[in-house]
Amino acid sequence: MKVLKFGGTSVGSTEGIVNMLDIIKKEVQTGEKPVVVLSAMSGITNMLTKMAEEAVIGEGNQELLQEVLDRHFAVVQEMLPIQQQAPVYAQLKIYFSEVEKILSAIQNLKECSPKSLDLVISYGERCATFLVTKIAEQYFPESLFVDAATIIKTDSNFGNAKVDTRLSEDLISIFYNSHADSLLFITGFIASDQQGQTTTLGRGGSDYTAAIVGSALNSSEIQIWTGVNGMMTADPRMVKKAFSLTELSYTEAMEMSFFGARVIYPPTMIPAFLKKIPIIIKSILQPDFTGTVICHSCDSSDLPIKGISSINEISIINLQGSGMVGKAGFSGKLFSLLAHEQINVIMITQSSSEHSITFAIKPEDAVKAQRLIEQEFELELQAKKLEQPEVEEGLSILAIVGENMKKTTGMSGKLFSALGRNGVNVRAIAQGSSEHNISVVILQQDLAKALNAVHDEFFTELKKTLNVFCLGTGNIGKTLFRQLYEHRDFLQKHNGIQVKITGISNSRKMLFEEEGIPLDSWQEELDQAGEPADLQGFVAKMKEMNLPNCVFVDNTASPKPITFYEEIFKSNVSVVTSNKIGNSSSYSQYRTFKDTAHTHGVDFYYETNVGAGLPIVRTLKDLMMSGDRVLLIEAVLSGTISFIFNHFKGEAKFHEVVKLAQEKGYTEPDPRDDLNGKDFMRKMLILARDAGYELEAEDVKIDNILPGSCLNAQSVTDFYKELEAADDFFEKLKKEAEQSGKALRYIGKLEDGKVSITLQMVDESHPFFVLSGSDNIIAFTTERYKERPLVVKGPGAGAEVTAAGVFADIVNVGTH
Ligand code: ASP
Ligand code: MG
């Protein structure tokens, strides 16, 4: 025989009741009648409580009472044939006039004892169960309404009464056996004490009723029908990727349900555990979904943790002082004091020095707890053996839960590194020696971020989400969005990564969307829905959104974003940049970026600063990390100059080649910006710094290709005139090179900590002799690559390859 418990969502709507009757029907058809336990309609217990509270201050709330009545009447109207409605209305009216009487008594006395409150709220279950029994009679004439107050006995601790298990089990089984032909519909949540006064089992307690009944009747299964698909890995309101768990042990279910969105009332587990009766949690809204099974030895999964539970708001009290050290009984005294005053302690930590004890409680208990401690330990406080108890508010608890944790090492390491990387400060830690739960206290404002980051860390079979904030929508930015859009499926499938663009800004507008800006229509969205751009505001909003696994991408060529990098690292956000200015300004700034990123455990990737998407920065980093030493770096890192010298042969005139390069879009609007070697210098400087040299821009020796007359020309047109006038000079160089079988190359060099960029003639044997188009090339001669250098060569400019490099950097943030 099975016990079927239906909660407020099932009882509270026509759809729910229809589904419920279907489920009962199927069960009856198996030949074994189930026992049904019901709770009040959703929200009704809260409404009744509210009315009682208002009555205390002398206010009657007729509207609310009417609303409660209407909810029940509506169901009668919809689900019963007219000729059967009258007696049901009549009984419901009797119930509600009783409620009204109690409420007016409370109003007169201006006092509502827990006993009166229990009586008021018990009508929620009574009305709902009565109503459903009447509806069920249409299909099962043997349906019988049972008021649990007659079969479940408790002490007189109103509001949270303790069940007399032995007596109740006897009463339940006697009742069941003497009504063998009936289909029982029992009110959940309520019971009665020895004097016959109505008590309740604590909020959410109708689950518990089901377990008591199940245990008394040795049922084969207890089904709990809720409005959610079983227990989930985390609170789905905060963690979008939370998923339903198929199996849990009783202990795990207990741990999971103590915290967070309560799916099941924790004490429910006890009777079921003792009798090894499986509990199945299912959703009335999706009856075919498997739900969660809680059972004795059904744990087949090897997930080290089952879920992450959380308590949204707690306060902690911190007690410290020498008075506690080595003093047996101190904590005993402290906690019995709190227990005596019904203050529930959620978590405790004590340092092994015994110098401090920290415990977490509900925020509403904080002031009372503080006062109690001050009274109790007055002498110690006066003698300064104890410091004034400190209350800290605005905190949350996050806990990872799972029985397999004790078999798996590294779980706490994983937890703390996920928190650390995301800049979540941990205020207190507790791990039960059972190792089923590791709890941390963190700031409430970090909870959503922490839950998501930890969820991503542990449930790696799910896609990891990177939340990306992008600056710049020029060629590189645009291309990047297109590439991300085109490769989204691939990324999910092969790298287990989901890249969400959560913020975009250019110099005009900015846009944020926590769910991700659609990459096929970002441009329209930004134009239409974007707000005026403001760099400071962009960074502030990114910090405020406080998302996990966050990356800031700078695809501008402006010095402004650079001023925010440090602040961004300090908020535990990684930076990916194609903007060279940051790394090539002062050395101290370069150092600060690296150090700050390192201290905050985030990444700083800038592969595209040198040679666009070519793996140059990464290659150098790998060489350095593996203990190699750079002896010489030679490089051609200007695509433009490369193009010019590759085409400057035969009959070609130098100024014509420069013009051609410009026409082909290889140069800056003013070609001198390329030819003056400044951009090349920045790249060489970054490489030299990455190779371990503390250099400034002034330390780089640049050979000017252009004669002074060209450099000083007022306009681009004038520049070309001067360049033409200098044709002879270049012609001579070309001839000289060609006659000796050499090629002209503008080469950057790092040797012995010195960087130079010079125009050279190289012969066939030099790796740079054959260089085509606008290619970049770099040769690393190192301790290990001494005989022949390690060479990287390929297209080193263009939106497509640069965006691809930025793309790779972003993905790298997700996979380290
Ligand atoms: N109706 C009660 C409550 O809301 C009991 C329950 O729903 O389980 O707390
Ligand atoms: Mg409930």
Side-chain angles (χ1 to χ4, degrees):
M1 188 272 300
K2 293 178 188 164
V3 173
L4 272 47
K5 184 258 159 170
F6 296 92
T9 322
S10 317
V11 183
S13 69
T14 317
E15 189 202 351
I17 298 178
V18 169
N19 286 354
M20 163 163 66
L21 292 172
D22 270 347
I23 293 160
I24 299 173
K25 248 178 246 167
K26 275 190 204 132
E27 219 38 65
V28 172
Q29 276 160 10
T30 65
E32 232 181 357
K33 267 198 267 332
V35 172
V36 181
V37 174
L38 300 177
S39 81
M41 289 183 179
S42 52
I44 297 292
T45 315
N46 285 342
M47 287 154 107
L48 292 166
T49 309
K50 186 160 182 243
M51 283 189 271
E53 281 164 4
E54 286 174 350
V56 179
I57 49 170
E59 281 170 21
N61 192 337
Q62 212 51 45
E63 285 126 65
L64 198 55
L65 188 63
Q66 193 59 44
E67 199 184 322
V68 174
L69 204 71
D70 289 347
R71 291 255 323 259
H72 291 83
F73 281 14
V75 174
V76 177
Q77 208 178 15
E78 279 174 54
M79 303 208 66
L80 279 173
I82 298 193
Q83 53 300 6
Q84 288 171 31
Q85 289 177 3
V88 182
Y89 281 135
Q91 178 60 46
L92 286 176
K93 278 187 188 145
I94 295 176
Y95 280 142
F96 285 109
S97 72
E98 285 169 13
V99 173
E100 229 177 331
K101 263 193 225 135
I102 312 163
L103 288 173
S104 74
I106 294 173
Q107 213 172 329
N108 288 334
L109 287 170
K110 295 212 171 13
E111 184 199 74
C112 177
S113 63
K115 182 163 140 188
S116 313
L117 183 63
D118 270 1
L119 190 56
V120 173
I121 60 179
S122 73
Y123 281 91
E125 266 68 15
R126 289 204 169 105
C127 293
T129 311
F130 169 74
L131 183 55
V132 171
T133 315
K134 288 295 159 193
I135 296 168
E137 269 177 9
Q138 299 174 88
Y139 312 92
F140 320 105
E142 71 278 29
S143 300
L144 181 68
F145 167 68
V146 184
D147 187 333
T150 58
I151 50 172
I152 299 182
K153 287 297 191 183
T154 65
D155 66 6
S156 303
N157 184 13
F158 296 96
N160 197 0
K162 189 168 171 294
V163 176
D164 180 339
T165 315
R166 181 99 53 79
L167 178 58
S168 303
E169 292 202 345
D170 285 348
L171 290 172
I172 293 167
S173 75
I174 292 168
F175 188 91
Y176 178 75
N177 291 327
S178 56
H179 293 85
D181 294 331
S182 307
L183 175 61
L184 307 184
F185 287 84
I186 307 177
T187 56
F189 185 50
I190 61 183
S192 66
D193 68 1
Q194 277 185 338
Q195 285 74 44
Q197 308 279 2
T198 301
T199 56
T200 64
L201 306 181
R203 291 303 307 270
S206 52
D207 296 339
Y208 188 32
T209 308
I212 297 163
V213 173
S215 162
L217 303 178
N218 288 313
S219 69
S220 59
E221 187 173 302
I222 299 163
Q223 293 181 3
I224 306 281
W225 289 86
T226 66
V228 292
N229 277 330
M231 284 216 181
M232 304 195 78
T233 48
D235 186 342
R237 289 168 302 182
M238 281 194 269
V239 180
K240 290 274 155 29
K241 283 188 268 179
F243 58 93
S244 301
L245 289 158
T246 46
E247 283 179 357
L248 282 174
S249 71
Y250 294 103
T251 324
E252 288 170 337
M254 187 93 112
E255 299 266 9
M256 287 295 289
S257 55
F258 261 118
F259 287 2
R262 244 187 206 174
V263 175
I264 183 170
Y265 186 48
T268 311
M269 255 63 80
I270 299 160
F273 169 77
L274 293 174
K275 291 267 176 91
K276 299 193 176 152
I277 305 171
I279 299 176
I280 299 164
I281 305 176
K282 290 180 67 108
S283 168
I284 196 74
L285 307 174
Q286 260 179 285
D288 296 329
F289 192 84
T290 46
T292 305
V293 182
I294 302 167
C295 54
H296 187 65
S297 55
C298 56
D299 190 17
S300 55
S301 91
D302 47 10
L303 291 175
I305 76 159
K306 286 298 168 51
I308 307 151
S309 56
S310 50
I311 304 183
N312 211 340
E313 196 179 354
I314 56 137
S315 295
I316 59 175
I317 295 193
N318 195 11
L319 267 181
Q320 56 183 25
S322 58
M324 293 189 285
V325 183
K327 195 153 177 253
F330 180 88
S331 51
K333 198 163 154 194
L334 171 66
F335 293 116
S336 42
L337 172 73
L338 298 171
H340 188 254
E341 294 293 321
Q342 311 277 348
I343 295 176
N344 182 32
V345 177
I346 304 166
M347 175 184 140
I348 306 170
T349 61
Q350 176 177 15
S351 63
S352 57
S353 67
E354 298 183 37
H355 194 261
S356 74
I357 295 184
T358 303
F359 57 91
I361 50 180
K362 287 202 225 111
E364 58 265 30
D365 289 336
V367 176
K368 188 169 165 197
Q370 191 179 22
R371 214 191 48 234
L372 285 170
I373 294 167
E374 281 165 2
Q375 281 165 3
E376 183 73 25
F377 299 103
E378 203 186 342
L379 294 177
E380 286 88 340
L381 283 163
Q382 271 169 10
K384 302 260 183 286
K385 287 196 165 153
L386 202 61
E387 288 169 31
Q388 205 61 29
E390 273 170 49
V391 180
E392 237 181 286
E393 291 168 336
L395 300 169
S396 298
I397 295 185
L398 175 154
I400 54 172
V401 171
E403 280 194 311
N404 283 342
M405 276 204 286
K406 60 172 179 278
K407 293 188 268 179
T408 330
T409 51
M411 290 303 105
S412 52
K414 244 179 153 162
L415 169 67
F416 291 111
S417 78
L419 294 173
R421 249 199 340 269
N422 284 283
V424 178
N425 189 25
V426 175
R427 292 284 304 104
I429 307 166
Q431 174 181 349
S433 56
S434 66
E435 295 186 46
H436 295 158
N437 172 320
I438 303 176
S439 304
V440 292
V441 174
I442 58 178
L443 288 181
Q444 199 178 2
Q445 75 208 42
D446 285 335
L447 180 62
K449 173 164 88 168
L451 278 171
N452 282 288
V454 174
H455 200 271
D456 266 357
E457 187 78 18
F458 281 94
F459 298 105
T460 41
E461 68 281 11
L462 299 176
K463 316 284 164 250
K464 181 166 195 155
T465 304
L466 294 175
N467 292 298
V468 182
F469 289 79
C470 277
L471 213 56
T473 61
N475 271 338
I476 301 175
K478 267 198 195 93
T479 313
L480 173 69
F481 296 149
R482 201 200 67 234
Q483 290 177 352
L484 285 170
Y485 179 68
E486 286 169 358
H487 294 280
R488 66 198 183 283
D489 293 336
F490 180 87
L491 274 178
Q492 299 228 12
K493 239 212 223 105
H494 299 277
N495 303 32
I497 287 182
Q498 183 199 14
V499 179
K500 258 199 223 162
I501 304 294
T502 33
I504 295 182
S505 178
N506 54 27
S507 54
R508 278 155 283 122
K509 290 211 151 173
M510 61 183 188
L511 179 71
F512 305 92
E513 241 164 78
E514 195 161 331
E515 288 318 307
I517 299 166
L519 282 176
D520 46 346
S521 60
W522 65 270
Q523 181 107 52
E524 296 87 72
E525 294 236 353
L526 182 66
D527 289 344
Q528 282 156 24
E531 40 191 300
D534 153 28
L535 192 49
Q536 179 127 33
F538 187 74
V539 174
K541 178 76 181 179
M542 174 178 81
K543 284 164 70 175
E544 184 193 310
M545 284 167 79
N546 207 8
L547 300 172
N549 307 321
C550 195
V551 191
F552 177 88
V553 178
D554 178 5
N555 281 329
T556 71
S558 149
K560 277 191 225 127
I562 313 294
T563 53
F564 290 95
Y565 284 10
E566 198 180 337
E567 176 185 344
I568 294 170
F569 290 131
K570 284 185 177 160
S571 345
N572 291 82
V573 171
S574 296
V575 173
V576 167
T577 181
S578 60
N579 184 347
K580 289 188 248 327
I581 301 177
N583 280 327
S584 59
S585 304
S586 72
Y587 179 82
S588 77
Q589 178 161 73
Y590 163 90
R591 200 61 267 153
T592 308
F593 290 160
K594 294 239 149 174
D595 293 346
T596 320
H598 183 77
T599 330
H600 288 83
V602 290
D603 293 316
F604 178 35
Y605 291 144
Y606 47 87
E607 182 57 73
T608 50
N609 279 189
V610 184
L614 293 177
I616 295 175
V617 172
R618 200 164 302 147
T619 304
L620 176 57
K621 185 171 159 196
D622 287 348
L623 290 172
M624 301 286 293
M625 254 178 7
S626 60
D628 203 348
R629 206 168 61 85
V630 173
L631 304 174
L632 171 71
I633 291 179
E634 282 181 293
V636 171
L637 293 174
S638 164
T640 319
I641 303 178
S642 217
F643 178 90
I644 291 171
F645 284 112
N646 279 334
H647 287 78
F648 184 43
K649 37 188 166 206
E651 293 307 304
K653 296 262 183 300
F654 193 71
H655 82 276
E656 285 167 4
V657 180
V658 175
K659 219 171 222 154
L660 177 70
Q662 176 152 37
E663 275 156 22
K664 290 214 157 204
Y666 282 120
T667 68
E668 295 293 319
D670 185 339
R672 285 174 292 185
D673 288 341
D674 296 298
L675 291 167
N676 68 12
K678 206 142 176 219
D679 188 60
F680 197 166
M681 178 280 288
R682 288 189 188 280
K683 296 173 186 167
M684 286 306 294
L685 188 60
I686 295 171
L687 284 177
R689 287 172 175 176
D690 277 1
Y693 298 104
E694 229 174 276
L695 294 180
E696 299 292 350
E698 305 80 73
D699 301 326
V700 180
K701 185 179 150 288
I702 309 179
D703 233 10
N704 242 319
I705 307 175
L706 298 174
S709 58
C710 298
L711 286 174
N712 298 332
Q714 289 298 311
S715 65
V716 176
T717 327
D718 287 349
F719 156 70
Y720 272 114
K721 270 192 208 127
E722 293 296 340
L723 194 61
E724 199 175 341
D727 266 349
D728 278 352
F729 164 75
F730 289 104
E731 203 54 35
K732 233 170 66 209
L733 280 175
K734 185 173 74 182
K735 284 267 148 55
E736 194 186 328
E738 280 174 358
Q739 272 157 15
S740 52
K742 293 182 177 173
L744 281 169
R745 296 286 178 251
Y746 197 43
I747 298 177
K749 197 158 139 186
L750 167 70
E751 198 171 19
D752 297 330
K754 297 213 168 51
V755 183
S756 62
I757 300 173
T758 51
L759 191 61
Q760 293 179 32
M761 287 181 207
V762 298
D763 64 22
E764 268 181 325
S765 69
H766 196 281
F768 296 0
F769 185 79
V770 265
L771 195 63
S772 52
S774 64
D775 276 3
N776 278 196
I777 187 165
I778 184 159
F780 295 99
T781 307
T782 69
E783 236 29 292
R784 286 191 204 127
Y785 292 94
K786 216 184 220 154
E787 303 283 290
R788 281 179 307 126
L790 186 160
V791 176
V792 180
K793 178 178 149 190
E800 205 62 42
V801 287
T802 310
V806 174
F807 188 155
D809 276 354
I810 294 176
V811 175
N812 267 322
V813 171
T815 48
H816 59 129

